[in-house]
Amino acid sequence: MTSGATTEPVILDAFELASDPELEARFAESAHRILSHLVSGGAALGWVEPPSRDEVAELLGHVVSAVQAGDAALRAAYLDRRLVGLGYWLRYGRPTHRPHADLEKIAVDAAAHGRGVGRALAAALIADAREAGIEVLTLDARGDNTNALHLYQSLGFTEYGRLPGFVAVGERRYDKVFCMLDFRQQD
């Protein structure tokens, strides 16, 4: 990575991240900071309460192990060597679903919203899935997460289902929206 101010995010994959000892050493802590801050603000990332440092470290360890086995992709976005976003997909574990993967999280630091970080992360993860031979990349999003749903639609995802009032956040209920990007129809 170059030094100096950048306006475009630098998107690293897990192997590039691991090749920079300074960034790798700070990655889990920086990811925890982003995830916990977003969840505190009500972001739809699968947690009701901010995750603990240990929970984030365990999650990232699982994802990195899956990347090393060829069953995942992890991307990290940096602006001026500061982590501002991360995302990953995991290949499905069931033998009958192995050709497919699920885009499980894309999280962008609130201070970097509107700078194209989410789009850059999603585009890189889509390219990784295509390169890995994934046939269908799926994701689900909370129904009120309209910015994310618009982003995914603009990148070629289509909605294939919805569970009304399925996501429970205290007393509030939100739809769970299922989307897919079918590479078989594009190749």
Side-chain angles (χ1 to χ4, degrees), residues 169-181:
V169 181
E171 297 298 316
R172 293 171 303 207
R173 298 294 180 265
Y174 302 94
D175 291 356
K176 183 174 183 174
V177 181
F178 297 94
C179 300
M180 66 178 219
L181 182 56

Side-chain angles (χ1 to χ4, degrees), residues 60-144:
L60 294 174
H62 170 72
V63 172
V64 168
S65 292
V67 167
Q68 293 167 341
D71 291 333
L74 170 69
R75 289 291 183 150
Y78 287 86
L79 288 171
D80 300 324
R81 294 188 61 83
R82 185 174 75 82
L83 184 70
V84 294
L86 65 142
Y88 66 90
W89 58 255
L90 291 169
R91 189 180 295 272
Y92 282 96
R94 284 185 183 170
T96 55
H97 297 176
R98 296 283 301 153
H100 315 296
D102 192 52
L103 183 59
E104 295 198 9
K105 286 204 192 326
I106 292 185
V108 176
D109 190 333
H113 284 179
R115 300 205 43 196
V117 175
R119 177 173 295 280
L121 282 167
L125 289 164
I126 289 167
D128 292 341
R130 185 185 295 278
E131 186 177 320
I134 297 300
E135 293 178 11
V136 179
L137 184 62
T138 62
L139 63 85
D140 63 76
R142 202 167 78 188
D144 68 326

